[in-house]
Amino acid sequence: MSLCYTSIFISPHSLNHQKSLSLTFSSDSPHFINLFPFKPWKPHHPIKLTAERFKLFASVTPAPPVETAPSSYRTKSPKDVNVLVVGSTGYIGKFVVTELVKRGFNITAIARERSGIRASFDKDQTLAQLRGANVCFSDVTNLDALEESLNSLRNSFDVVVSCLASRNGGVKDSWKIDYEATKNSLVAGRKRGASHFVLLSAICVQKPLLEFQHAKLKFEAELMKLAEEDDGFTYSIVRPTAFFKSLGGQVELVKDGKPYVMFGDGRLCACKPISEADLASFIVDCVLSEDKINKVLPIGGPGKALTPLEQGEMLFRLLGKEPKFLKVPIGIMDFAIGVLDFLVKIFPSLEDAAEFGKIGRYYAAESMLLLDPETGEYSAEMTPSYGNDTLEEFFARVLREGMAGQELGEQNIF
């Protein structure tokens, strides 16, 4: 059984939609004729294809016309573009829905009957949160249930936007959400006409050591393969850096006089954090922007990359306090992970605990920046920036108002 609701919300459409013009020249053009006149070959003279002649032939033979992805829906007004959003009640998903509504798209948002952190939101709260979208309560982890829900709508879709992400990074949950549920949304959307898929991934998959990273990469690979095999289908894979909320867990502790906790000397890693609103704007850009078709798109926020040490110093500066740091040797985490890896062989139920230790270790030491393929090092300069919101503004707001709406839930480390 599926339950679908429609809420009506009127907002001004953005007038800043970008348009692009693509020109393709090929040998089919009448202007190509007689550019390279050749005398006809005499049939009794055999053709000798020497290396020199082959080079000449290659230089004057026109390249086949470049295939461009169909963009029929991209010529429509946003109000005529049907977008299916999964993961709509997640940290980023709810902002994506808001941005889609703001720009005037016709949105169907899939949501659980109980959503939010620890399923704290009921249906009425979810409907209020996703105001302006057609809300359909279903289960993306069950393809049959999702199909039944979408069948009841009798809608077709142009685009699927997936903001699905594992709730906690556990082994089974990672594969259930980051791979299986995301694939279900692709299958269901494609059956209903979707020709473009926007995937919210993560920049850390470029150095995969964790289960959720492997699950995301498996789906990314299948998405790319599908686009290679079907000229009528395209994708945009968005790989953001750290979110503001993932860096805000210590704000209230420091405000209460506690030290700022960091690993090593606080310079082991760095990131260019991005706000949820800026990231949502970038994701929605991918719905219509042809320059984002069939691309993996790493993206960070504005400004320079910040280390944990710099983040802590910023926080103390905003508080007007003398910096007070607690430096934790990274080796402590390595020891804990080694113990858990040993115990999980005896007690398989500790599998997720061992994975959580590895996640903490990863984020303590690995930068959320683009890897330079030539050097194998993280590069702040190569990591694109987008948006206007800064981490300092976020810290200042949390100091004034608290972390309401930014709760870490099961992702909390400190």
Side-chain angles (χ1 to χ4, degrees), residues 48-61:
K48 295 181 181 180
L49 192 60
T50 64
E52 288 72 17
R53 284 188 175 180
F54 180 79
K55 290 178 182 177
L56 176 62
F57 179 77
S59 67
V60 299
T61 301

Side-chain angles (χ1 to χ4, degrees), residues 91 241-252 254 260-261 269-275 304-308 310-312 314-315 363 366 368 390-392 394-395 398 403 406 408 411-414:
Y91 175 61
T241 61
F243 302 154
F244 280 3
K245 83 164 185 177
S246 65
L247 305 178
Q250 298 191 69
V251 175
E252 294 181 344
V254 171
Y260 187 91
V261 181
C269 58
C271 65
K272 296 177 73 172
I274 188 168
S275 73
K304 67 186 290 288
L306 299 169
T307 65
E310 291 170 318
Q311 295 165 32
M314 177 188 296
L315 188 52
Y363 286 115
E366 300 292 338
M368 297 297 106
T390 67
L391 183 65
E392 186 167 3
F394 170 76
F395 279 171
V398 173
M403 284 284 286
Q406 300 283 342
L408 293 172
Q411 298 170 332
N412 201 355
I413 295 177
F414 295 106

Side-chain angles (χ1 to χ4, degrees), residues 87 250 292 370 378:
Q250 298 191 69
K292 294 177 176 59
L370 192 64
Y378 292 108

